[in-house]
Amino acid sequence: MIADGYDAFLFDLDGVLYRGAEPVEGAARTLASLRSLGKGLAFITNNSSRTPEAIAEHLTGLGIEARPDEVETSALATAELLSGRGVASVYVVGDDGLRSALAATGLTLTDGTRAAEAVVVGWDRGFDYAKLAAACVLIQRGSSLVASNADASYPVEDGLTLPGAGAILAAIQTATGVNAEVVGKPNEPIFRAALARAGGGRPLVIGDRLDTDIEGARRLGWDSVLVLTGISAAADISTASAAPTYVAERLDLLVDHE
């Protein structure tokens, strides 16, 4: 089975383990099987809006065992990047997960009326014109523009998608003419942090997006699985910059002995 060749399994969330409020069929059984085999697990997500505690609670509610210390988010990766650079103040367009991760590193979160060293953008369900205007004014005055991720959409129930952080980011970039530094997938830091959470060893990345999950694995020379329960379809592979090592219609193919 596929699982035999790997030590650490790095799972994307939306479109892989669940769609909106509905679990993907076989997800709980697959992860339970991997745990029983002694494999390391981590959950890696570009979703910056929720804390690791909230994500673990959501997964547990779907019958999928998960701990907060197994969760690596783009919010955590962004906070680590900025604090490592000595950034002191930020204006945040984002929800609780991003705000709490940044505040936990000692960054000052401004209200948009005062100067900030960086404008940090993630998914924000309360995004409006006032936040767009504040971000644009700060950037014109010299604030750098940093995004937790650039995912244009995310999957929900019934095969539909909704606007993601990338859609918000696009509005700010269009208005200012400034391109953001993007921290989350497919960039390297978030993947390496997730592997550390899983205990190291030979990793396998499992995701539903060719442009983030599979491309990120390619950049690091890691193997990957594209599951066809989210954004990307098998027909998209031929035109993508990165091809997965495996393609699976069902997540339980990871532990299938056939």
Side-chain angles (χ1 to χ4, degrees):
M1 61 182 174
I2 292 173
D4 288 337
Y6 304 93
D7 307 301
F9 294 76
L10 313 184
F11 286 90
D12 179 48
L13 299 178
D14 294 343
V16 175
L17 300 180
Y18 56 77
R19 291 184 64 101
E22 298 297 324
V24 168
E25 183 178 358
R29 295 192 303 273
T30 299
L31 270 67
S33 295
L34 290 171
R35 290 190 187 278
S36 71
L37 293 169
K39 304 296 185 179
L41 302 181
F43 306 99
I44 177 172
T45 178
N46 268 354
N47 185 335
S48 63
S49 66
R50 291 188 295 171
T51 64
E53 291 75 15
I55 290 171
E57 182 179 357
H58 181 204
L59 289 171
T60 300
L62 297 176
I64 300 170
E65 181 185 348
R67 304 191 309 270
D69 65 355
E70 294 175 321
V71 179
E72 182 65 30
T73 72
S74 63
L76 294 173
T78 301
E80 183 176 353
L81 174 76
L82 293 175
S83 63
R85 290 179 178 173
V87 172
S89 60
V90 295
Y91 173 63
V92 182
V93 178
D95 273 3
D96 289 345
L98 183 56
R99 299 179 67 86
S100 63
L102 293 166
T105 64
L107 290 165
T108 298
L109 278 57
T110 72
D111 61 4
T113 63
R114 293 173 290 143
E117 293 176 59
V119 172
V120 182
V121 180
W123 186 71
D124 187 336
R125 75 194 75 195
F127 182 65
D128 57 15
Y129 186 81
K131 291 182 179 181
L132 173 61
C136 291
V137 168
L138 288 170
I139 292 165
Q140 291 175 78
R141 289 177 174 168
S143 298
S144 61
L145 177 58
V146 178
S148 63
N149 72 91
D151 294 357
S153 62
Y154 63 95
V156 292
E157 300 89 342
D158 301 323
L160 302 175
T161 62
L162 292 177
I168 296 171
L169 178 62
I172 296 171
Q173 291 183 146
T174 298
T176 61
V178 174
N179 291 324
E181 177 182 6
V182 180
V183 179
K185 298 181 290 184
N187 298 298
E188 179 177 333
I190 191 170
F191 287 96
R192 292 205 180 277
L195 178 57
R197 290 185 183 277
R202 187 183 183 199
L204 182 66
V205 175
I206 303 98
D208 71 311
R209 299 184 73 117
L210 289 161
D211 59 342
T212 56
D213 306 308
I214 308 308
E215 171 62 18
R218 182 198 67 80
R219 293 182 185 184
L220 286 160
W222 296 354
D223 287 354
S224 62
V225 179
L226 176 69
V227 291
L228 304 179
T229 50
I231 296 292
S232 297
D236 299 327
I237 296 173
S238 62
T239 58
S241 60
T245 312
Y246 311 97
V247 179
E249 292 187 1
R250 305 190 327 272
L251 200 58
D252 56 8
L253 289 177
L254 290 174
V255 292
D256 194 334
H257 288 277
E258 296 183 2

